[in-house]
Amino acid sequence: MKNYLPIIMIILTLFDSSSVTASHTNMDLQSVITVHLNQPLGQLRAVPVSRGKEASPAILAIYGQDAEIDPYVGMFFFPESTLRMTLFDDRGNIQWTRDLGPGIVPGIWFCPVFTFDLNHDGVDEIYFVGNADPAHPMDFRKYQLERVDACDGKATGTWPWPNRYNAETMSHRYRNFILGGFVKDKPVLVTAQGTYGKMALQAWNPDMTLRWETSFDPKTDGGPLGSHVCPVVDINHDGIDELLWGERCVELDKGKELFRADRGIWRGHSDIVVPVLDRDTGRWLIHTCRETSLKQSPRIVVFNDKGVRMWGALDEGHIDTGWAAHLGPEGQPVVLGVKVGRKIRDAQGERRLWTTSHLYEAATGKPFNLPFDPYTSIPVDLNGDGIHELVKGYFEGDGTVYDRTGKVLGNVGGLCAMCSKFTRLSGEQILSFSKDGLLRIWADVNAKDSPVAEKRYRDRFYYTNQRMTACGYNLFSLGGF
């Protein structure tokens, strides 16, 4: 497996003057690169782009002036601006910018974006859902899968977007996904539609011929609904990746459903589904946070790698978000589920009211305590020691960075679009943004990658799931690895 992220220290003179004095011993959190997009920001997604061995790592920003637009009728609003893409390198040099135009609604479910080396030439392509009829942004019949050259931002291919369920409601209809994985080291691209009802998945070979297609109808098969997180993981270590589609596990070779977690019991929607690696045994666990109003318990669950429930917690509640992170004294995994009383999304952005955070040891289900409320946080291993820090960079987060003991390590000055290793510095980095269009990359300049961290970066799980941060709430998937 190739190393997509070579570890080479970049010259310290690239650092700008915006820095934070850290209270944590030896950690020095600094803003190492700034990029200005020259427009107000209501939303920003970001994803790494590999441009080959000879080129520096790059970052693709997907952004708009409007807040994130959701297809649910109680959250949808008409945009006042268009969605744009900008590619810049890990020194902050902008390579190109592309305006996607009025035919694309600025929202992650209308326009997922995925970077992936499908043709296996060492250079990622950029895939997104475009529109062949820009005068009619809601005409799903004209949606198309578009492929873009990362070097110049120009289209290199378009294919009709699979259109399967014309009679669905607006919230059901406009739920699109693009993702990918590997079958015996051969890349496979996956397109998908649906979350709350009928759902369809298609797999594509490097020449864009159809490899397989499968569909699910929970009303007839009695199975669970989809999720907003769609991680890809080789759950059984056989060299063939699986997709966690809600609480269904689907292998990518032929599209076969390997198992359903809690088969015959859970028929609802799980907001978060995250694979969790038990580093002691090398086996995967599956953490889910159940959102739907369906009155079934438990609401926070961890399964083993065959979908058998290990433990569950909470009998009721709307568990809207959560993550997995290695926060134990020796990096043992911990899971979070956040119970939410009400969720609001409009032109001012997204807010959650009456939240309660619930933390547990992933392997045992025993309650776990942090000296601060982890709601709005994202796991990130800034110093490369294999134990995560947490940045308050999501939803209503204020940018504060904590270690597991509650020490404040600094503040990144805004919300975060990416928390992973996407530069040549040691440790993982944070990409934050502010409403005036300023992007900052933050890093611990004293970081030193441990063997555990280096092993993570080289793994194809890291490569694949890192590139799904712009096609769903996959921002949380890496924390469990």
Side-chain angles (χ1 to χ4, degrees):
M1 184 63 191
K2 63 184 75 173
N3 185 347
Y4 291 93
L5 294 165
I7 303 169
I8 306 172
M9 181 67 77
I10 65 175
I11 301 172
L12 295 181
T13 54
L14 293 173
F15 300 165
D16 67 26
S17 59
S18 177
S19 64
V20 175
T21 301
S23 60
H24 186 59
T25 304
N26 297 325
M27 184 175 287
D28 188 1
L29 184 64
Q30 295 191 22
S31 171
V32 297
I33 293 172
T34 61
V35 176
H36 210 299
L37 297 176
N38 297 313
Q39 72 163 68
L41 291 180
Q43 61 173 281
L44 177 83
R45 291 175 264 158
V47 62
V49 178
S50 293
R51 299 183 296 166
K53 292 182 179 180
E54 303 304 320
S56 61
I59 297 98
L60 180 69
I62 306 102
Y63 57 96
Q65 183 174 335
D66 297 281
E68 181 78 28
I69 299 178
D70 190 280
Y72 173 58
V73 292
M75 296 181 176
F76 180 87
F77 59 92
F78 290 105
E80 297 182 358
S81 66
T82 55
L83 195 64
R84 294 183 176 183
M85 292 181 180
T86 290
L87 188 89
F88 59 94
D89 66 21
D90 68 344
R91 289 173 170 83
N93 301 311
I94 291 178
Q95 306 298 303
W96 53 263
T97 295
R98 176 174 174 171
D99 192 323
L100 299 187
I104 294 177
V105 180
I108 199 167
W109 311 121
F110 292 95
C111 181
V113 180
F114 181 54
T115 61
F116 191 55
D117 182 12
L118 182 60
N119 61 12
H120 222 265
D121 65 352
V123 179
D124 290 340
E125 304 91 49
I126 299 169
Y127 297 88
F128 70 96
V129 176
N131 187 354
D133 184 8
H136 299 97
M138 305 300 286
D139 189 354
F140 52 79
R141 299 170 301 176
K142 299 300 178 66
Y143 283 12
Q144 60 188 15
L145 176 66
E146 187 164 340
R147 185 182 64 202
V148 165
D149 187 333
C151 295
D152 57 18
K154 295 181 180 179
T156 60
T158 59
W159 299 267
W161 184 253
N163 176 24
R164 299 292 182 263
Y165 307 122
N166 295 345
E168 297 293 305
T169 68
M170 181 170 162
S171 184
H172 289 65
R173 147 61 45 199
Y174 298 100
R175 302 280 174 177
N176 301 313
F177 300 83
I178 309 173
L179 41 110
F182 294 86
V183 174
K184 303 293 186 180
D185 290 330
K186 295 181 179 179
V188 176
L189 186 74
V190 178
T191 54
Q193 305 83 38
T195 299
Y196 302 124
K198 294 179 180 179
M199 301 167 286
L201 293 85
Q202 307 84 30
W204 307 92
N205 296 309
D207 62 357
M208 293 306 297
T209 56
L210 185 66
R211 185 184 185 100
W212 53 259
E213 180 170 8
T214 189
S215 61
F216 305 114
D217 186 350
K219 289 185 178 180
T220 58
D221 70 15
L225 306 177
S227 171
H228 301 311
V229 179
C230 307
V232 171
V233 55
D234 184 3
I235 198 80
N236 52 10
H237 300 287
D238 65 350
I240 299 173
D241 283 341
E242 283 78 38
L243 164 63
L244 299 182
W245 184 259
E247 297 189 14
R248 304 172 191 254
C249 182
V250 181
E251 57 85 25
L252 294 191
D253 186 17
K254 298 180 180 179
K256 178 183 177 182
E257 186 178 315
L258 291 188
F259 62 79
R260 300 177 193 174
D262 263 4
R263 187 178 185 90
I265 299 175
W266 178 248
R267 299 185 179 183
H269 160 64
S270 299
D271 190 74
I272 301 291
V273 177
V274 177
V276 186
L277 183 66
D278 185 333
R279 292 174 179 169
D280 292 335
T281 65
R283 297 185 67 176
W284 289 98
L285 310 176
I286 303 170
H287 165 51
T288 69
C289 298
R290 293 170 166 176
E291 175 185 337
T292 188
S293 58
L294 192 68
K295 292 183 178 180
Q296 284 183 282
S297 62
R299 310 300 286 186
I300 299 175
V301 192
V302 167
F303 305 96
N304 68 13
D305 54 7
K306 299 183 183 300
V308 177
R309 188 193 301 177
M310 295 179 62
W311 60 266
L314 300 186
D315 289 333
E316 55 84 27
H318 178 142
I319 313 302
D320 186 80
T321 187
W323 45 244
H326 291 270
L327 291 173
E330 298 179 3
Q332 296 91 339
V334 172
V335 296
L336 167 72
V338 179
K339 184 177 179 179
V340 174
R342 185 185 177 194
K343 180 167 60 176
I344 302 169
R345 189 194 292 268
D346 53 27
Q348 283 68 52
E350 186 172 5
R351 288 92 68 199
R352 284 161 173 75
L353 306 176
W354 311 304
T355 63
T356 307
S357 299
H358 300 270
L359 286 157
Y360 306 91
E361 294 178 1
T364 67
K366 294 180 180 178
F368 185 87
N369 294 314
L370 286 173
F372 58 94
D373 185 357
Y375 173 59
T376 75
S377 69
I378 306 166
V380 57
D381 181 10
L382 288 165
N383 59 7
D385 66 353
I387 297 178
H388 286 98
E389 288 76 45
L390 297 172
V391 54
K392 293 267 196 166
Y394 216 57
F395 305 130
E396 307 91 358
D398 64 1
T400 303
V401 182
Y402 297 89
D403 72 5
R404 60 179 299 278
T405 71
K407 290 183 179 179
V408 175
L409 306 177
N411 191 293
V412 299
L415 298 180
C416 303
M418 190 160 52
C419 296
S420 61
K421 187 180 186 65
F422 51 89
T423 77
R424 290 169 289 186
L425 285 166
S426 294
E428 293 184 328
Q429 296 83 48
I430 297 170
L431 191 155
S432 70
F433 65 99
S434 53
K435 292 183 178 181
D436 63 356
L438 182 65
L439 278 56
R440 286 192 176 101
I441 295 176
W442 299 81
D444 172 17
V445 297
N446 292 331
K448 183 177 181 180
D449 287 319
S450 66
V452 170
E454 290 178 344
K455 184 178 179 181
R456 289 177 71 227
Y457 308 148
R458 291 192 298 266
D459 198 282
R460 75 183 188 192
F461 174 90
Y462 198 91
Y463 166 79
T464 301
N465 289 274
Q466 186 189 37
R467 279 154 174 74
M468 289 197 282
T469 57
C471 62
Y473 294 158
N474 293 285
L475 190 61
F476 302 114
S477 293
L478 286 176
F481 178 49

